[in-house]
Amino acid sequence: MLVVEDEVLIRMTLAAVLRDEGFTVIEACDADEALIALATTSIDLLLTDVRMGGAMDGLDLAMQVKSTRPDLKIVVVSGHLAAGETHGIADAFVPKPYLAENVVERVRALLTGTDLGHAF
Amino acid sequence: MPSNLPKAEASSPLKTVLVVDSEIIVRMTLGEYLRSCGYRVIEAASGEEALTVLKDSDLFVDMTLTEVELRGEIDGFQLAAWIRNRRPQIGVILAGTPARAAKAAGDLCEDGPMMTKPYDPQLVVDRIKRLLSGRK
């Protein structure tokens, strides 16, 4: 899975928790890096923050990726948006601040098919 | 705090390597490689991110492997100078090319305490080159 977050301490902490849980995690610091990772590696879930440095924010990234990879699961995290403000692009929405364990639960549910797939 | 984060007060036999590279392909490949050798790895995309990690008193870093040319205001030389002045106990490896970075990672793995795979550094170089060529 791909974690896109421009705050390095948040990114590394979440990635470490997810790796502890057995997930293979690629870390990207912005949307540009995320697009490179998506083009060059096998990724089944994108987890992205919304507000990031660079030309694209997390929602732009999610929309661009979804148009070419409709199978890709997308989790959006944000401290600024509400669940209903993600334009239906996300398979799951997690408000910030979050407990990493809650993110793990949502990710696992999406990847194992136990999530009901409610779009946000 | 997850168990595999390197807490400053922890006396863990696992060594922590901070990998600093502005190329995500290089960074993730080296990170994956070093983790497979039994290291904890923290990834930073710039000198600024590396300093954020190094200044965090809750984290402990044993070694920094950094590319010379980094995005942002701080290059690898400046980062190395900061570490040598402020955190002299942290080893620094400067790499000027992805191949040199992979060779340095390979050398680290040869000495790694939990090396599980006899990786050939050349294979890491080849993988990085292949991934980089795939971007063009």
Side-chain angles (χ1 to χ4, degrees):
Chain A
M1 61 176 296
L2 175 62
V3 172
V4 192
E5 165 67 58
D6 64 349
E7 294 283 343
V8 62
L9 296 180
I10 296 174
R11 190 176 71 235
M12 61 167 275
T13 302
L14 181 57
V17 171
L18 289 162
R19 289 190 183 105
D20 267 357
E21 294 295 325
F23 296 101
T24 299
V25 181
I26 295 170
E27 302 175 41
C29 69
D30 59 26
D32 290 335
E33 282 201 350
L35 290 173
I36 293 170
L38 286 158
T40 53
T41 58
S42 177
I43 291 167
D44 43 21
L45 187 144
L46 165 69
L47 187 155
T48 182
D49 191 16
V50 174
R51 287 194 180 180
M52 295 184 293
M56 297 172 67
D57 68 16
L59 287 185
D60 294 332
L61 171 67
M63 283 187 271
Q64 178 168 328
V65 171
K66 201 71 173 179
S67 66
T68 55
R69 286 281 313 274
D71 59 309
L72 188 74
K73 301 296 184 187
I74 296 179
V75 179
V76 170
V77 300
S78 176
H80 305 280
L81 295 182
E85 298 176 293
T86 59
H87 309 296
I89 202 69
D91 297 292
F93 175 82
V94 180
K96 276 184 168 181
Y98 53 71
L99 288 174
E101 291 74 13
N102 293 342
V103 178
V104 170
E105 282 181 21
R106 300 309 304 272
V107 166
R108 182 175 286 120
L110 282 171
L111 290 179
T112 58
T114 54
D115 189 280
L116 295 178
H118 177 71
F120 291 91
Chain B
M1 187 77 73
S3 61
N4 69 351
L5 279 184
K7 295 177 183 177
E9 67 273 19
S11 57
S12 168
L14 294 184
K15 298 296 185 185
T16 298
V17 181
L18 173 61
V19 174
V20 192
D21 201 299
S22 298
E23 292 280 348
I24 183 176
I25 299 296
V26 177
R27 198 172 68 239
M28 73 181 193
T29 304
L30 291 179
E32 178 186 7
Y33 174 53
L34 289 169
R35 286 186 191 98
S36 74
C37 292
Y39 289 94
R40 291 187 177 112
V41 177
I42 299 172
E43 299 180 27
S46 64
E48 287 81 357
E49 282 199 351
L51 285 183
T52 299
V53 170
L54 291 165
K55 289 176 180 176
D56 191 315
S57 59
D58 288 333
L59 300 173
F60 187 86
V61 174
D62 295 285
M63 176 72 69
T64 297
L65 171 57
T66 179
E67 179 77 1
V68 170
E69 293 185 15
L70 298 170
R71 77 168 73 155
E73 299 296 316
I74 301 171
D75 65 20
F77 291 123
Q78 293 169 297
L79 178 62
W82 188 94
I83 292 170
R84 283 172 179 145
N85 285 328
R86 307 289 187 87
R87 302 286 190 276
Q89 74 279 12
I90 299 176
V92 179
I93 300 173
L94 276 166
T97 64
R100 278 193 58 191
K103 173 64 169 61
D107 291 344
L108 277 176
C109 275
E110 284 186 358
D111 296 331
M114 290 182 59
M115 187 173 72
T116 56
K117 298 177 184 176
Y119 271 93
D120 179 350
Q122 187 58 47
L123 294 178
V124 182
V125 175
D126 291 344
R127 176 164 165 74
I128 290 172
K129 285 180 177 175
R130 191 166 63 248
L131 286 167
L132 288 174
S133 67
R135 293 175 50 193
K136 295 173 182 172

